[in-house]
Amino acid sequence: MKVLETGDDYSSARFILANTLMRTKAVQFSPFGINFRDNSAVPKEATAETVRLAAHVLRCLLDKDGSKFDAVVGMPQNGEFLAKVFSEITRTLCMTLGIYEKGEENQVALTNLLPHTVKKVVLLADIFVEAKVDLQLEVVEYLRRKVGFEITDIAVLVDCEWGAGHAKLEKLGCKVHSVFSQQGLSAFYCNTGVMEPQHEIQLNLATPSA
Protein backbone atom coordinates (compact mmCIF):
# COMPACT_ATOMS: atom_id res chain seq x y z
CA MET A 1 0.00 0.00 0.00
CA LYS A 2 1.29 3.42 -0.90
CA VAL A 3 1.55 5.80 2.05
CA LEU A 4 0.70 9.49 1.79
CA GLU A 5 3.42 11.61 3.28
CA THR A 6 4.69 15.16 3.19
CA GLY A 7 8.37 15.19 2.28
CA ASP A 8 9.70 15.49 -1.23
CA ASP A 9 7.78 17.36 -3.94
CA TYR A 10 5.98 14.28 -5.23
CA SER A 11 4.88 13.13 -1.79
CA SER A 12 3.76 16.64 -0.88
CA ALA A 13 1.78 16.95 -4.10
CA ARG A 14 0.08 13.60 -3.45
CA PHE A 15 -0.85 14.71 0.05
CA ILE A 16 -2.40 17.94 -1.27
CA LEU A 17 -4.17 16.10 -4.09
CA ALA A 18 -5.76 13.57 -1.71
CA ASN A 19 -7.22 16.38 0.37
CA THR A 20 -8.31 18.36 -2.69
CA LEU A 21 -10.14 15.36 -4.20
CA MET A 22 -12.22 15.11 -1.05
CA ARG A 23 -12.69 18.86 -0.54
CA THR A 24 -14.01 19.40 -4.08
CA LYS A 25 -16.10 16.20 -3.85
CA ALA A 26 -14.36 14.79 -6.90
CA VAL A 27 -13.86 11.45 -5.15
CA GLN A 28 -16.87 9.30 -4.31
CA PHE A 29 -17.38 5.99 -2.55
CA SER A 30 -19.81 3.07 -2.84
CA PRO A 31 -19.21 2.63 -5.70
CA PHE A 32 -15.73 4.09 -5.85
CA GLY A 33 -15.05 6.64 -8.56
CA ILE A 34 -13.73 10.05 -9.51
CA ASN A 35 -16.03 12.66 -10.99
CA PHE A 36 -14.61 15.82 -12.58
CA ARG A 37 -17.85 16.78 -14.34
CA ASP A 38 -21.39 17.86 -13.55
CA ASN A 39 -24.23 17.08 -15.96
CA SER A 40 -22.41 18.76 -18.83
CA ALA A 41 -19.46 17.57 -20.88
CA VAL A 42 -17.00 19.90 -19.17
CA PRO A 43 -15.26 19.75 -15.77
CA LYS A 44 -17.12 21.22 -12.83
CA GLU A 45 -15.86 24.68 -11.92
CA ALA A 46 -15.07 23.49 -8.41
CA THR A 47 -12.79 20.74 -9.70
CA ALA A 48 -10.85 22.72 -12.33
CA GLU A 49 -8.06 23.19 -9.79
CA THR A 50 -8.26 19.48 -8.98
CA VAL A 51 -7.74 18.47 -12.60
CA ARG A 52 -4.69 20.72 -12.86
CA LEU A 53 -3.24 19.41 -9.61
CA ALA A 54 -3.93 15.81 -10.65
CA ALA A 55 -2.20 16.36 -14.00
CA HIS A 56 0.80 17.85 -12.16
CA VAL A 57 1.03 14.83 -9.86
CA LEU A 58 0.80 12.43 -12.82
CA ARG A 59 3.68 14.30 -14.44
CA CYS A 60 5.73 13.96 -11.23
CA LEU A 61 4.89 10.25 -11.11
CA LEU A 62 6.04 9.61 -14.68
CA ASP A 63 9.18 11.69 -14.14
CA LYS A 64 9.95 9.71 -10.98
CA ASP A 65 9.48 6.40 -12.80
CA GLY A 66 11.62 7.54 -15.73
CA SER A 67 8.91 7.19 -18.38
CA LYS A 68 9.69 8.66 -21.80
CA PHE A 69 7.05 9.67 -24.36
CA ASP A 70 6.31 12.11 -27.18
CA ALA A 71 2.57 12.58 -26.62
CA VAL A 72 -0.26 11.80 -24.22
CA VAL A 73 -3.73 10.37 -24.79
CA GLY A 74 -6.56 10.40 -22.25
CA MET A 75 -8.99 7.57 -21.65
CA PRO A 76 -12.50 9.00 -22.01
CA GLN A 77 -14.04 10.51 -20.11
CA ASN A 78 -12.08 11.93 -17.16
CA GLY A 79 -8.76 10.97 -18.70
CA GLU A 80 -9.25 13.42 -21.56
CA PHE A 81 -9.42 16.31 -19.07
CA LEU A 82 -6.18 15.11 -17.46
CA ALA A 83 -4.44 14.69 -20.83
CA LYS A 84 -5.40 18.17 -22.02
CA VAL A 85 -4.10 19.89 -18.89
CA PHE A 86 -1.07 17.57 -18.76
CA SER A 87 -0.13 18.65 -22.28
CA GLU A 88 -0.48 22.32 -21.32
CA ILE A 89 1.74 21.90 -18.27
CA THR A 90 4.43 19.86 -20.03
CA ARG A 91 4.04 21.31 -23.56
CA THR A 92 3.53 17.75 -24.74
CA LEU A 93 1.35 16.89 -27.71
CA CYS A 94 -2.11 15.61 -26.80
CA MET A 95 -4.17 13.07 -28.73
CA THR A 96 -7.95 12.99 -28.61
CA LEU A 97 -9.70 9.63 -28.78
CA GLY A 98 -13.18 8.91 -29.98
CA ILE A 99 -14.82 5.70 -28.81
CA TYR A 100 -18.05 4.75 -30.52
CA GLU A 101 -20.38 1.80 -30.22
CA LYS A 102 -20.57 -0.31 -33.35
CA GLY A 103 -22.99 -3.14 -32.77
CA GLU A 104 -21.73 -5.01 -29.73
CA GLU A 105 -18.18 -3.73 -30.17
CA ASN A 106 -16.38 -0.46 -29.51
CA GLN A 107 -14.85 1.51 -32.37
CA VAL A 108 -11.71 3.44 -31.37
CA ALA A 109 -10.40 6.29 -33.50
CA LEU A 110 -8.13 9.31 -33.22
CA THR A 111 -9.94 12.58 -33.76
CA ASN A 112 -6.85 14.72 -34.35
CA LEU A 113 -3.68 14.34 -36.41
CA LEU A 114 -0.18 14.34 -34.94
CA PRO A 115 3.23 14.95 -36.51
CA HIS A 116 5.19 11.97 -37.81
CA THR A 117 7.80 12.71 -35.13
CA VAL A 118 5.50 11.17 -32.49
CA LYS A 119 6.68 7.62 -31.80
CA LYS A 120 5.79 6.84 -28.19
CA VAL A 121 2.69 7.79 -26.20
CA VAL A 122 1.46 7.37 -22.63
CA LEU A 123 -2.16 6.69 -21.69
CA LEU A 124 -3.71 8.74 -18.84
CA ALA A 125 -6.79 7.71 -16.85
CA ASP A 126 -8.56 8.60 -13.62
CA ILE A 127 -8.93 5.10 -12.16
CA PHE A 128 -7.69 1.63 -13.02
CA VAL A 129 -10.60 -0.74 -12.51
CA GLU A 130 -11.39 -4.16 -13.95
CA ALA A 131 -14.53 -2.92 -15.72
CA LYS A 132 -12.45 -0.59 -17.92
CA VAL A 133 -9.54 -2.92 -18.68
CA ASP A 134 -10.96 -4.41 -21.88
CA LEU A 135 -11.51 -0.93 -23.29
CA GLN A 136 -7.97 0.07 -22.31
CA LEU A 137 -6.68 -3.05 -24.07
CA GLU A 138 -8.59 -2.04 -27.19
CA VAL A 139 -7.06 1.43 -27.05
CA VAL A 140 -3.53 0.02 -26.65
CA GLU A 141 -4.03 -2.36 -29.57
CA TYR A 142 -5.48 0.43 -31.73
CA LEU A 143 -2.61 2.83 -31.01
CA ARG A 144 -0.07 0.11 -31.77
CA ARG A 145 -1.52 -1.67 -34.78
CA LYS A 146 -3.61 0.97 -36.51
CA VAL A 147 -1.56 4.09 -35.74
CA GLY A 148 1.88 2.58 -35.21
CA PHE A 149 2.71 4.17 -31.86
CA GLU A 150 4.76 2.55 -29.13
CA ILE A 151 2.91 2.48 -25.79
CA THR A 152 4.32 0.85 -22.66
CA ASP A 153 2.96 3.05 -19.85
CA ILE A 154 -0.48 3.80 -18.42
CA ALA A 155 -0.65 6.41 -15.65
CA VAL A 156 -3.69 6.53 -13.36
CA LEU A 157 -4.71 8.50 -10.29
CA VAL A 158 -6.18 5.54 -8.39
CA ASP A 159 -5.54 1.82 -8.81
CA CYS A 160 -8.41 -0.31 -7.45
CA GLU A 161 -5.97 -3.27 -7.24
CA TRP A 162 -8.28 -6.18 -8.00
CA GLY A 163 -9.00 -8.43 -10.90
CA ALA A 164 -6.69 -9.60 -13.68
CA GLY A 165 -6.25 -6.21 -15.32
CA HIS A 166 -2.58 -5.80 -14.49
CA ALA A 167 -1.72 -9.25 -15.81
CA LYS A 168 -3.59 -8.61 -19.07
CA LEU A 169 -1.72 -5.36 -19.69
CA GLU A 170 1.62 -6.83 -18.65
CA LYS A 171 1.19 -9.47 -21.35
CA LEU A 172 1.07 -6.57 -23.82
CA GLY A 173 4.18 -5.05 -22.29
CA CYS A 174 2.31 -2.22 -20.52
CA LYS A 175 3.03 -1.05 -16.98
CA VAL A 176 0.42 0.67 -14.81
CA HIS A 177 1.76 3.62 -12.80
CA SER A 178 -0.59 4.80 -10.03
CA VAL A 179 -0.56 7.79 -7.71
CA PHE A 180 -2.79 6.12 -5.10
CA SER A 181 -4.25 2.72 -4.37
CA GLN A 182 -7.97 2.65 -3.60
CA GLN A 183 -7.32 1.03 -0.23
CA GLY A 184 -4.53 3.47 0.63
CA LEU A 185 -6.64 6.49 -0.29
CA SER A 186 -9.63 5.37 1.78
CA ALA A 187 -7.34 4.54 4.73
CA PHE A 188 -5.83 8.02 4.48
CA TYR A 189 -9.29 9.60 4.67
CA CYS A 190 -10.16 7.48 7.71
CA ASN A 191 -6.89 8.31 9.47
CA THR A 192 -7.36 12.04 8.90
CA GLY A 193 -10.97 11.93 10.11
CA VAL A 194 -12.70 13.00 6.89
CA MET A 195 -14.34 9.61 6.42
CA GLU A 196 -15.87 7.23 8.95
CA PRO A 197 -14.06 3.88 9.36
CA GLN A 198 -17.23 1.93 8.51
CA HIS A 199 -17.19 3.54 5.05
CA GLU A 200 -13.77 2.07 4.43
CA ILE A 201 -15.02 -1.33 5.61
CA GLN A 202 -18.00 -1.11 3.28
CA LEU A 203 -15.69 -0.07 0.46
CA ASN A 204 -13.35 -3.01 1.06
CA LEU A 205 -16.24 -5.47 1.36
CA ALA A 206 -17.61 -4.20 -1.94
CA THR A 207 -14.29 -4.83 -3.68
CA PRO A 208 -14.32 -8.20 -5.49
CA SER A 209 -11.38 -10.49 -4.93
CA ALA A 210 -9.04 -11.41 -7.74
Side-chain angles (χ1 to χ4, degrees):
M1 181 189 303
K2 294 182 179 179
V3 180
L4 294 168
E5 299 175 338
T6 52
D8 58 28
D9 290 340
Y10 175 61
S11 295
S12 297
R14 290 175 71 235
F15 181 88
I16 295 169
L17 176 59
N19 283 293
T20 304
L21 285 171
M22 178 62 76
R23 178 173 56 80
T24 60
K25 298 181 180 180
V27 66
Q28 59 192 31
F29 297 93
S30 299
F32 182 83
I34 295 175
N35 180 29
F36 290 140
R37 66 178 71 221
D38 48 26
N39 293 326
S40 66
V42 297
K44 294 183 290 187
E45 183 178 353
T47 58
E49 63 171 298
T50 313
V51 174
R52 188 166 187 83
L53 178 58
H56 168 71
V57 176
L58 285 172
R59 175 192 182 183
C60 293
L61 171 67
L62 291 169
D63 286 346
K64 179 180 69 69
D65 291 349
S67 300
K68 304 296 182 183
F69 48 89
D70 306 310
V72 295
V73 56
M75 277 295 299
Q77 296 172 334
N78 284 329
E80 58 196 10
F81 298 144
L82 293 170
K84 181 179 178 182
V85 177
F86 187 100
S87 69
E88 294 172 356
I89 293 174
T90 61
R91 296 185 179 180
T92 304
L93 293 169
C94 178
M95 290 190 298
T96 304
L97 273 181
I99 299 179
Y100 315 95
E101 290 186 3
K102 188 175 182 180
E104 296 181 355
E105 298 181 352
N106 292 311
Q107 184 73 36
V108 182
L110 280 179
T111 59
N112 63 326
L113 298 176
L114 292 178
H116 294 296
T117 54
V118 174
K119 302 297 182 184
K120 187 173 184 180
V121 300
V122 62
L123 188 63
L124 303 183
D126 53 351
I127 62 175
F128 183 76
V129 62
E130 186 71 9
K132 294 185 178 182
V133 169
D134 286 343
L135 182 56
Q136 290 172 341
L137 290 171
E138 288 181 36
V139 170
V140 169
E141 290 287 358
Y142 168 79
L143 293 174
R144 285 179 173 175
R145 296 185 179 183
K146 297 293 178 109
V147 188
F149 290 144
E150 178 184 359
I151 176 168
T152 58
D153 299 288
I154 298 175
V156 302
L157 291 181
V158 183
D159 185 351
C160 292
E161 295 186 310
W162 56 265
H166 282 271
K168 290 178 180 179
L169 285 165
E170 285 173 2
K171 286 183 178 180
L172 292 180
C174 288
K175 178 180 179 181
V176 177
H177 307 258
S178 60
V179 177
F180 308 113
S181 69
Q182 178 185 0
Q183 184 179 6
L185 191 60
S186 60
F188 170 75
Y189 290 143
C190 287
N191 292 338
T192 54
V194 298
M195 186 174 78
E196 296 296 327
Q198 61 264 30
H199 290 167
E200 181 189 15
I201 294 172
Q202 291 172 0
L203 180 65
N204 291 337
L205 288 177
T207 303
S209 59

